[in-house]
Amino acid sequence: MTSCIYPGSFDPIHNGHIDVIENLAKIFDKVYVATLINKNKNGRFSTEDKLLFIEKAISNIDKVENIEVITFDGLLADFVKEKEIDTIVKGIRNTIDYEMEKEMALSIKLLDKDVQTLFLPASTKVSSISSTIVIDLIKNNGNLEEFVPIEIVDLIKEKYREIYE
Ligand code: PNS
């Protein structure tokens, strides 16, 4: 059985992430979507909120039964080893992502030479989307429908307003 982990802040999840998850569910038997536990409370949303958004956002993806949404803590290299996950996957939108993720992938390799990181290019339609842009749209009453799955458009707005307004 092939498995991969798609780790991220997902603060919040958006259509760029969904694009990667949809592709991974076609390639791997098991896909772990893993969000880092927000210990310092310096994220925009709580870990619980982020998990809720992810679960709802992936609910209509093909092969959703092969996807597990989890949290992790500490070093990704240790977590991957402990869970016996084959591959780490990162989505790449542009050269900035590439340089940053290459540094991370090579550092993880220094920690454990057996851990592989694969890069998946983002589809053109979603390659401009970021969590920062989603937040900017929420703050300014922008239309979120091209940016996050329809299942979470209202929920994200509500949660954001609960926290910040
Ligand atoms: O969505 P992001 O912000 O690119 O996600 C970053 C994340 C959570 C994948 C990354 O910060 C991470 O893996 N943190 C865990 C600590 C770790 O293993 N750092 C790398 C040291 S080599």
Side-chain angles (χ1 to χ4, degrees):
M1 195 181 87
T2 56
S3 62
C4 74
I5 184 166
Y6 178 43
S9 305
F10 302 112
D11 199 21
I13 191 166
H14 54 66
N15 283 344
H17 299 126
I18 295 296
D19 173 59
V20 174
I21 297 168
E22 273 173 348
N23 285 316
L24 294 181
K26 289 178 197 152
I27 302 169
F28 291 92
D29 300 318
K30 179 85 189 182
V31 178
Y32 293 96
V33 177
T35 189
L36 189 66
I37 292 174
N38 174 10
K39 274 192 176 156
N40 310 326
K41 305 271 176 217
N42 56 4
R44 300 178 182 115
F45 293 100
S46 68
T47 305
E48 293 69 30
D49 284 348
K50 291 194 292 178
L51 288 174
L52 180 67
F53 300 156
I54 299 170
E55 290 285 5
K56 277 191 182 294
I58 65 165
S59 59
N60 289 318
I61 286 183
D62 273 357
K63 299 203 178 163
V64 66
E65 64 279 7
N66 297 348
I67 304 170
E68 194 176 329
V69 182
I70 55 175
T71 56
F72 78 105
D73 195 9
L75 289 177
L76 184 58
D78 293 341
F79 184 73
V80 164
K81 194 91 178 165
E82 184 195 307
K83 295 276 278 181
E84 300 183 348
I85 296 168
D86 301 327
T87 310
I88 298 170
V89 179
K90 293 295 186 73
I92 304 288
R93 290 167 299 189
N94 49 44
T95 53
I96 299 167
D97 279 356
Y98 173 72
E99 290 301 335
M100 214 178 66
E101 295 301 349
K102 186 179 76 172
E103 191 178 283
M104 183 78 89
L106 294 177
S107 302
I108 288 174
K109 260 232 173 309
L110 287 179
L111 291 174
D112 187 334
K113 66 178 175 33
D114 296 327
V115 179
Q116 304 292 347
T117 302
L118 290 184
F119 295 160
L120 201 62
S123 301
T124 316
K125 191 167 184 266
V126 295
S127 64
S128 64
I129 303 177
S130 67
S131 298
T132 308
I133 285 185
V134 169
I135 295 300
D136 215 23
L137 288 169
I138 298 173
K139 279 184 191 164
N140 295 289
N141 281 317
N143 185 349
L144 279 186
E145 285 179 15
E146 292 291 332
F147 294 82
V148 304
I150 193 74
E151 293 83 358
I152 59 168
V153 166
D154 291 337
L155 183 64
I156 285 195
K157 287 186 201 162
E158 272 164 36
K159 286 282 178 192
Y160 185 86
R161 298 207 164 107
E162 246 174 66
I163 303 168
Y164 298 103
E165 288 175 9

